[in-house]
Amino acid sequence: MEDEKANVTKIVNVAILDIRNAVNKDLGKVNMVNVGYILHTPETLDLLKAGKRVNVGQFVEANPEARVLLSPTTFTDEYLKQPAGALELLAFSPIMVDWKTTAESIEQGLARLDIYGGPLICPRHLLSTLQSKIQHQDAETVVYESSFARLSMGKLVLDETFLGSLEDETELLVIGTLKIPQVLPNELLKQKIKRLYVKGRIVCHEENAAAIQSFNGSVQPKIKIIPAGYELVEKPLELNTLMLERLPTRKIYCTEWVQISTDVSADVLDNNLDALISEERV
């Protein structure tokens, strides 16, 4: 019984288990719980002998030389020109294809693309070339039409200066968070933005929420709406009497903790603050 217990391998809570280059080792029975993808070759698949499998996702047979993409990646001519030759890619994260990328770079620099996480964001004039390289795709494809499109990965802060710098009727595509910290003129939003795609979440004020949501069409990302009339504060906030008397607004929405000093009286609060919302403790 002890020998049987000793000859069990447990794999728990793994998003991607890559055994393509695993050594030929006897792992015994392999119990897997909460494993998303298992990358293997025909030879290494035998390492995963029968065992318990709970919430195990997809087995993916792949070339041991294929590169795994786990973070957002932008395809450019430079990226696709690799000294080792044409790339084989397994993508588990978003891919953006830069407008200036050439079809020739895709033809010569990309041998194969398998997409298991996305989206894939691609200009229309390169779509057919890229699709000829895709052998598997589980994620959506988002096509953009113009060189004026703005692509962003991570966090994009959309303020009036940035908005003013856009061409009229711009396509704005964001992988990550779109943050609109101040209320923007809705007419300017409608003038500058033709289409908005966000894979992630949006933070905006209630005054702009209807306009922002109208750009997204049928696909609505997660959106946090700051109530109308509130000032957004995204750091811990310590309110003493002097600070309260100098507040630029009487309504505050704070994403961090708020501490009110002991020197603050009820009259000072009533005279300087109409409303306070905190996502953390007060």
Side-chain angles (χ1 to χ4, degrees):
M1 181 66 70
E2 290 181 359
D3 291 340
E4 183 178 347
K5 289 183 178 179
N7 201 26
V8 173
T9 300
K10 295 181 180 180
I11 301 173
V12 180
N13 297 331
V14 176
I16 299 173
L17 175 63
D18 189 350
I19 61 169
R20 292 174 296 161
N21 294 297
V23 295
N24 187 17
K25 180 181 179 181
D26 185 5
L27 300 177
K29 289 185 177 180
V30 179
N31 292 341
M32 294 186 289
V33 180
N34 297 333
V35 178
Y37 294 92
I38 300 166
L39 310 185
H40 66 89
T41 65
E43 295 76 22
T44 59
L45 183 59
D46 291 339
L47 295 176
L48 302 178
K49 295 179 180 178
K52 295 180 180 179
R53 295 181 182 178
V54 179
N55 196 23
V56 174
Q58 188 171 347
F59 284 79
V60 178
E61 184 177 319
N63 185 340
E65 303 301 320
R67 180 183 300 180
V68 177
L69 303 180
L70 299 177
S71 59
T73 302
T74 300
F75 284 2
T76 62
D77 285 348
E78 183 179 2
Y79 179 85
L80 293 169
K81 291 178 181 177
Q82 298 290 331
L87 294 167
E88 286 194 37
L89 301 175
L90 295 167
F92 294 88
S93 56
I95 294 175
M96 285 186 171
V97 183
D98 187 86
W99 179 273
K100 295 180 180 179
T101 304
T102 64
E104 182 182 9
S105 291
I106 296 174
E107 287 282 6
Q108 297 180 359
L110 188 60
R112 173 173 176 154
L113 175 61
D114 294 272
I115 304 174
Y116 294 90
L120 168 65
I121 298 178
C122 182
R124 185 170 298 281
H125 68 282
L126 294 174
L127 184 60
S128 61
T129 304
L130 190 62
Q131 285 178 328
S132 71
K133 303 293 184 175
I134 297 174
Q135 301 299 311
H136 178 94
Q137 183 173 357
D138 284 341
E140 66 177 317
T141 297
V142 179
V143 177
Y144 65 97
E145 308 287 348
S146 168
S147 61
F148 295 129
R150 292 289 189 96
L151 282 61
S152 174
M153 289 193 181
K155 181 174 73 173
L156 176 64
V157 177
L158 180 58
D159 55 20
E160 196 158 355
T161 299
F162 181 86
L163 185 62
S165 72
L166 299 177
E167 298 285 341
D168 287 355
E169 298 189 337
T170 291
E171 294 174 275
L172 189 59
L173 302 102
V174 180
I175 304 296
T177 298
L178 174 65
K179 185 174 294 184
I180 308 173
Q182 304 295 331
V183 177
L184 297 175
N186 283 318
E187 288 305 313
L188 186 59
L189 282 168
K190 294 175 182 178
Q191 174 188 335
K192 292 293 185 177
I193 299 177
K194 177 181 180 180
R195 175 189 177 202
L196 176 64
Y197 173 88
V198 179
K199 182 70 171 181
R201 71 173 191 144
I202 298 173
V203 179
C204 72
H205 289 262
E206 185 177 352
E207 292 90 336
N208 294 137
I212 292 297
Q213 289 173 315
S214 71
F215 296 129
N216 290 308
S218 60
V219 179
Q220 293 292 335
K222 296 179 182 178
I223 184 166
K224 177 194 288 185
I225 297 176
I226 309 304
Y230 280 73
E231 182 80 12
L232 177 63
V233 178
E234 297 181 282
K235 61 181 180 180
L237 186 61
E238 185 173 352
L239 296 174
N240 55 34
T241 298
L242 181 60
M243 183 176 290
L244 280 165
E245 291 174 347
R246 294 180 176 178
L247 283 177
T249 180
R250 297 180 62 89
K251 294 182 178 181
I252 296 175
Y253 187 107
C254 186
T255 60
E256 303 288 340
W257 56 262
V258 177
Q259 180 175 322
I260 300 175
S261 299
T262 56
D263 69 326
V264 176
S265 66
D267 287 341
V268 170
L269 278 176
D270 289 340
N271 292 334
N272 295 280
L273 193 64
D274 289 337
L276 173 64
I277 299 175
S278 173
E279 295 183 357
E280 300 293 337
R281 66 185 188 278
V282 179

